[in-house]
PDB file of all heavy atoms in Angstrom:
ATOM      1  N   ILE A 424      93.717-126.846 -64.960  1.00 98.00           N
ATOM      2  CA  ILE A 424      93.936-125.641 -64.151  1.00 98.00           C
ATOM      3  C   ILE A 424      93.063-124.590 -64.807  1.00 98.00           C
ATOM      4  O   ILE A 424      93.415-124.026 -65.852  1.00 98.00           O
ATOM      5  CB  ILE A 424      95.419-125.231 -64.160  1.00 98.00           C
ATOM      6  CG1 ILE A 424      96.267-126.316 -63.510  1.00 98.00           C
ATOM      7  CG2 ILE A 424      95.618-123.897 -63.444  1.00 98.00           C
ATOM      8  CD1 ILE A 424      97.770-126.113 -63.687  1.00 98.00           C
ATOM      9  N   GLY A 510     108.938-133.971 -54.508  1.00 96.00           N
ATOM     10  CA  GLY A 510     108.932-134.029 -55.968  1.00 96.00           C
ATOM     11  C   GLY A 510     107.608-133.672 -56.605  1.00 96.00           C
ATOM     12  O   GLY A 510     107.357-134.027 -57.766  1.00 96.00           O
ATOM     13  N   TYR A 511     106.772-132.937 -55.859  1.00 98.00           N
ATOM     14  CA  TYR A 511     105.446-132.586 -56.370  1.00 98.00           C
ATOM     15  C   TYR A 511     105.228-131.077 -56.375  1.00 98.00           C
ATOM     16  O   TYR A 511     105.862-130.327 -55.624  1.00 98.00           O
ATOM     17  CB  TYR A 511     104.344-133.204 -55.500  1.00 98.00           C
ATOM     18  CG  TYR A 511     104.300-134.708 -55.498  1.00 98.00           C
ATOM     19  CD1 TYR A 511     104.882-135.439 -54.461  1.00 98.00           C
ATOM     20  CD2 TYR A 511     103.651-135.416 -56.513  1.00 98.00           C
ATOM     21  CE1 TYR A 511     104.836-136.835 -54.435  1.00 98.00           C
ATOM     22  CE2 TYR A 511     103.592-136.798 -56.499  1.00 98.00           C
ATOM     23  CZ  TYR A 511     104.187-137.500 -55.460  1.00 98.00           C
ATOM     24  OH  TYR A 511     104.129-138.870 -55.440  1.00 98.00           O
ATOM     25  N   THR A 512     104.284-130.653 -57.204  1.00 98.00           N
ATOM     26  CA  THR A 512     103.752-129.296 -57.187  1.00 98.00           C
ATOM     27  C   THR A 512     102.267-129.390 -56.863  1.00 98.00           C
ATOM     28  O   THR A 512     101.577-130.291 -57.357  1.00 98.00           O
ATOM     29  CB  THR A 512     103.935-128.613 -58.553  1.00 98.00           C
ATOM     30  OG1 THR A 512     105.330-128.518 -58.835  1.00 98.00           O
ATOM     31  CG2 THR A 512     103.330-127.214 -58.554  1.00 98.00           C
ATOM     32  N   ILE A 513     101.769-128.476 -56.029  1.00 98.00           N
ATOM     33  CA  ILE A 513     100.342-128.464 -55.710  1.00 98.00           C
ATOM     34  C   ILE A 513      99.630-127.507 -56.650  1.00 98.00           C
ATOM     35  O   ILE A 513      99.984-126.330 -56.751  1.00 98.00           O
ATOM     36  CB  ILE A 513     100.091-128.064 -54.246  1.00 98.00           C
ATOM     37  CG1 ILE A 513     100.724-129.091 -53.302  1.00 98.00           C
ATOM     38  CG2 ILE A 513      98.596-127.937 -53.971  1.00 98.00           C
ATOM     39  CD1 ILE A 513     100.570-128.764 -51.824  1.00 98.00           C
ATOM     40  N   LYS A 514      98.633-128.025 -57.345  1.00 98.00           N
ATOM     41  CA  LYS A 514      97.787-127.230 -58.229  1.00 98.00           C
ATOM     42  C   LYS A 514      96.320-127.439 -57.860  1.00 98.00           C
ATOM     43  O   LYS A 514      95.934-128.515 -57.381  1.00 98.00           O
ATOM     44  CB  LYS A 514      98.005-127.632 -59.698  1.00 98.00           C
ATOM     45  CG  LYS A 514      99.385-127.292 -60.240  1.00 98.00           C
ATOM     46  CD  LYS A 514      99.624-125.791 -60.303  1.00 98.00           C
ATOM     47  CE  LYS A 514     100.961-125.450 -60.929  1.00 98.00           C
ATOM     48  NZ  LYS A 514     101.199-123.977 -60.913  1.00 98.00           N
ATOM     49  N   HIS A 515      95.522-126.405 -58.084  1.00 98.00           N
ATOM     50  CA  HIS A 515      94.078-126.528 -57.846  1.00 98.00           C
ATOM     51  C   HIS A 515      93.454-127.054 -59.132  1.00 98.00           C
ATOM     52  O   HIS A 515      93.277-126.309 -60.098  1.00 98.00           O
ATOM     53  CB  HIS A 515      93.497-125.165 -57.476  1.00 98.00           C
ATOM     54  CG  HIS A 515      92.191-125.249 -56.766  1.00 98.00           C
ATOM     55  ND1 HIS A 515      91.337-124.174 -56.629  1.00 98.00           N
ATOM     56  CD2 HIS A 515      91.570-126.273 -56.118  1.00 98.00           C
ATOM     57  CE1 HIS A 515      90.268-124.532 -55.939  1.00 98.00           C
ATOM     58  NE2 HIS A 515      90.395-125.802 -55.628  1.00 98.00           N
ATOM     59  N   LEU A 516      93.142-128.337 -59.148  1.00 98.00           N
ATOM     60  CA  LEU A 516      92.718-128.999 -60.380  1.00 98.00           C
ATOM     61  C   LEU A 516      91.223-129.295 -60.383  1.00 98.00           C
ATOM     62  O   LEU A 516      90.628-129.614 -59.353  1.00 98.00           O
ATOM     63  CB  LEU A 516      93.453-130.333 -60.560  1.00 98.00           C
ATOM     64  CG  LEU A 516      94.934-130.337 -60.917  1.00 98.00           C
ATOM     65  CD1 LEU A 516      95.364-131.756 -61.241  1.00 98.00           C
ATOM     66  CD2 LEU A 516      95.229-129.411 -62.081  1.00 98.00           C
ATOM     67  N   THR A 533      95.739-130.533 -55.562  1.00 98.00           N
ATOM     68  CA  THR A 533      96.262-131.830 -55.988  1.00 98.00           C
ATOM     69  C   THR A 533      97.774-131.768 -56.114  1.00 98.00           C
ATOM     70  O   THR A 533      98.318-130.823 -56.680  1.00 98.00           O
ATOM     71  CB  THR A 533      95.668-132.218 -57.362  1.00 98.00           C
ATOM     72  OG1 THR A 533      94.242-132.089 -57.316  1.00 98.00           O
ATOM     73  CG2 THR A 533      96.033-133.634 -57.751  1.00 98.00           C
ATOM     74  N   LEU A 534      98.446-132.797 -55.591  1.00 98.00           N
ATOM     75  CA  LEU A 534      99.881-132.937 -55.802  1.00 98.00           C
ATOM     76  C   LEU A 534     100.100-133.621 -57.145  1.00 98.00           C
ATOM     77  O   LEU A 534      99.539-134.687 -57.416  1.00 98.00           O
ATOM     78  CB  LEU A 534     100.525-133.780 -54.699  1.00 98.00           C
ATOM     79  CG  LEU A 534     100.872-133.060 -53.381  1.00 98.00           C
ATOM     80  CD1 LEU A 534      99.629-132.762 -52.570  1.00 98.00           C
ATOM     81  CD2 LEU A 534     101.855-133.899 -52.565  1.00 98.00           C
ATOM     82  N   ILE A 535     100.926-132.993 -57.994  1.00 98.00           N
ATOM     83  CA  ILE A 535     101.266-133.532 -59.313  1.00 98.00           C
ATOM     84  C   ILE A 535     102.783-133.647 -59.397  1.00 98.00           C
ATOM     85  O   ILE A 535     103.500-132.723 -58.989  1.00 98.00           O
ATOM     86  CB  ILE A 535     100.779-132.594 -60.437  1.00 98.00           C
ATOM     87  CG1 ILE A 535      99.337-132.152 -60.220  1.00 98.00           C
ATOM     88  CG2 ILE A 535     100.931-133.266 -61.800  1.00 98.00           C
ATOM     89  CD1 ILE A 535      98.914-131.016 -61.115  1.00 98.00           C
ATOM     90  N   PRO A 536     103.320-134.745 -59.926  1.00 97.00           N
ATOM     91  CA  PRO A 536     104.776-134.835 -60.091  1.00 97.00           C
ATOM     92  C   PRO A 536     105.322-133.645 -60.873  1.00 97.00           C
ATOM     93  O   PRO A 536     104.747-133.229 -61.886  1.00 97.00           O
ATOM     94  CB  PRO A 536     104.957-136.142 -60.858  1.00 97.00           C
ATOM     95  CG  PRO A 536     103.772-136.967 -60.485  1.00 97.00           C
ATOM     96  CD  PRO A 536     102.642-135.992 -60.345  1.00 97.00           C
ATOM     97  N   LYS A 537     106.439-133.100 -60.407  1.00 96.00           N
ATOM     98  CA  LYS A 537     107.005-131.911 -61.033  1.00 96.00           C
ATOM     99  C   LYS A 537     107.462-132.156 -62.469  1.00 96.00           C
ATOM    100  O   LYS A 537     107.617-131.212 -63.242  1.00 96.00           O
ATOM    101  CB  LYS A 537     108.187-131.394 -60.192  1.00 96.00           C
ATOM    102  CG  LYS A 537     107.769-130.769 -58.883  1.00 96.00           C
ATOM    103  CD  LYS A 537     108.893-130.001 -58.223  1.00 96.00           C
ATOM    104  CE  LYS A 537     109.889-130.904 -57.574  1.00 96.00           C
ATOM    105  NZ  LYS A 537     110.895-130.158 -56.768  1.00 96.00           N
ATOM    106  N   SER A 538     107.641-133.404 -62.827  1.00 95.00           N
ATOM    107  CA  SER A 538     108.084-133.728 -64.182  1.00 95.00           C
ATOM    108  C   SER A 538     106.970-133.622 -65.222  1.00 95.00           C
ATOM    109  O   SER A 538     107.251-133.649 -66.426  1.00 95.00           O
ATOM    110  CB  SER A 538     108.649-135.152 -64.215  1.00 95.00           C
ATOM    111  OG  SER A 538     107.665-136.090 -63.810  1.00 95.00           O
ATOM    112  N   GLU A 539     105.722-133.494 -64.779  1.00 95.00           N
ATOM    113  CA  GLU A 539     104.606-133.460 -65.721  1.00 95.00           C
ATOM    114  C   GLU A 539     104.317-132.035 -66.158  1.00 95.00           C
ATOM    115  O   GLU A 539     104.372-131.082 -65.364  1.00 95.00           O
ATOM    116  CB  GLU A 539     103.371-134.110 -65.096  1.00 95.00           C
ATOM    117  CG  GLU A 539     103.636-135.576 -64.754  1.00 95.00           C
ATOM    118  CD  GLU A 539     102.386-136.342 -64.367  1.00 95.00           C
ATOM    119  OE1 GLU A 539     101.274-135.873 -64.671  1.00 95.00           O
ATOM    120  OE2 GLU A 539     102.529-137.429 -63.781  1.00 95.00           O
ATOM    121  N   ILE A 541     101.697-130.245 -66.897  1.00 97.00           N
ATOM    122  CA  ILE A 541     100.645-129.420 -66.297  1.00 97.00           C
ATOM    123  C   ILE A 541     101.074-128.859 -64.948  1.00 97.00           C
ATOM    124  O   ILE A 541     100.569-127.828 -64.507  1.00 97.00           O
ATOM    125  CB  ILE A 541      99.318-130.210 -66.197  1.00 97.00           C
ATOM    126  CG1 ILE A 541      98.137-129.247 -65.979  1.00 97.00           C
ATOM    127  CG2 ILE A 541      99.384-131.278 -65.116  1.00 97.00           C
ATOM    128  CD1 ILE A 541      96.782-129.884 -66.169  1.00 97.00           C
ATOM    129  N   SER A 542     102.048-129.501 -64.292  1.00 96.00           N
ATOM    130  CA  SER A 542     102.519-128.989 -63.001  1.00 96.00           C
ATOM    131  C   SER A 542     103.339-127.717 -63.176  1.00 96.00           C
ATOM    132  O   SER A 542     103.599-127.004 -62.200  1.00 96.00           O
ATOM    133  CB  SER A 542     103.348-130.052 -62.278  1.00 96.00           C
ATOM    134  OG  SER A 542     104.631-130.174 -62.863  1.00 96.00           O
ATOM    135  N   ARG A 697      95.159-134.887 -52.157  1.00 98.00           N
ATOM    136  CA  ARG A 697      95.157-135.991 -53.121  1.00 98.00           C
ATOM    137  C   ARG A 697      96.322-135.854 -54.092  1.00 98.00           C
ATOM    138  O   ARG A 697      96.764-134.739 -54.379  1.00 98.00           O
ATOM    139  CB  ARG A 697      93.820-136.035 -53.848  1.00 98.00           C
ATOM    140  CG  ARG A 697      92.673-136.305 -52.876  1.00 98.00           C
ATOM    141  CD  ARG A 697      91.318-135.799 -53.337  1.00 98.00           C
ATOM    142  NE  ARG A 697      90.377-135.824 -52.218  1.00 98.00           N
ATOM    143  CZ  ARG A 697      90.187-134.806 -51.382  1.00 98.00           C
ATOM    144  NH1 ARG A 697      90.863-133.670 -51.546  1.00 98.00           N
ATOM    145  NH2 ARG A 697      89.317-134.911 -50.387  1.00 98.00           N
ATOM    146  N   ILE A 698      96.798-137.003 -54.587  1.00 98.00           N
ATOM    147  CA  ILE A 698      97.908-137.058 -55.529  1.00 98.00           C
ATOM    148  C   ILE A 698      97.415-137.657 -56.837  1.00 98.00           C
ATOM    149  O   ILE A 698      96.694-138.658 -56.831  1.00 98.00           O
ATOM    150  CB  ILE A 698      99.068-137.927 -54.981  1.00 98.00           C
ATOM    151  CG1 ILE A 698      99.559-137.382 -53.633  1.00 98.00           C
ATOM    152  CG2 ILE A 698     100.213-138.005 -55.981  1.00 98.00           C
ATOM    153  CD1 ILE A 698     100.574-138.289 -52.938  1.00 98.00           C
ATOM    154  N   GLU A 699      97.785-137.035 -57.944  1.00 98.00           N
ATOM    155  CA  GLU A 699      97.424-137.564 -59.258  1.00 98.00           C
ATOM    156  C   GLU A 699      98.639-137.529 -60.178  1.00 98.00           C
ATOM    157  O   GLU A 699      99.445-136.597 -60.118  1.00 98.00           O
ATOM    158  CB  GLU A 699      96.301-136.730 -59.904  1.00 98.00           C
ATOM    159  CG  GLU A 699      94.959-136.798 -59.194  1.00 98.00           C
ATOM    160  CD  GLU A 699      94.188-138.069 -59.475  1.00 98.00           C
ATOM    161  OE1 GLU A 699      94.549-138.796 -60.447  1.00 98.00           O
ATOM    162  OE2 GLU A 699      93.239-138.358 -58.720  1.00 98.00           O
ATOM    163  N   SER A 700      98.740-138.542 -61.009  1.00 95.00           N
ATOM    164  CA  SER A 700      99.721-138.544 -62.085  1.00 95.00           C
ATOM    165  C   SER A 700      98.978-138.774 -63.391  1.00 95.00           C
ATOM    166  O   SER A 700      98.079-139.613 -63.455  1.00 95.00           O
ATOM    167  CB  SER A 700     100.758-139.648 -61.876  1.00 95.00           C
ATOM    168  OG  SER A 700     101.641-139.705 -62.973  1.00 95.00           O
ATOM    169  N   PHE A 701      99.355-138.011 -64.416  1.00 91.00           N
ATOM    170  CA  PHE A 701      98.614-138.074 -65.682  1.00 91.00           C
ATOM    171  C   PHE A 701      99.435-138.683 -66.804  1.00 91.00           C
ATOM    172  O   PHE A 701      99.120-138.509 -67.971  1.00 91.00           O
ATOM    173  CB  PHE A 701      98.128-136.673 -66.051  1.00 91.00           C
ATOM    174  CG  PHE A 701      97.265-136.070 -64.984  1.00 91.00           C
ATOM    175  CD1 PHE A 701      97.754-135.091 -64.136  1.00 91.00           C
ATOM    176  CD2 PHE A 701      95.968-136.517 -64.798  1.00 91.00           C
ATOM    177  CE1 PHE A 701      96.966-134.554 -63.133  1.00 91.00           C
ATOM    178  CE2 PHE A 701      95.163-135.985 -63.808  1.00 91.00           C
ATOM    179  CZ  PHE A 701      95.661-134.999 -62.964  1.00 91.00           C
TER     180      PHE A 701
END
Side-chain angles (χ1 to χ4, degrees):
I424 296 170
Y511 296 99
T512 298
I513 297 178
K514 293 295 184 183
H515 200 196
L516 289 188
T533 309
L534 278 74
I535 313 168
K537 289 193 284 188
S538 59
E539 299 190 18
I541 197 167
S542 75
R697 298 155 193 90
I698 302 172
E699 294 282 345
S700 176
F701 302 104

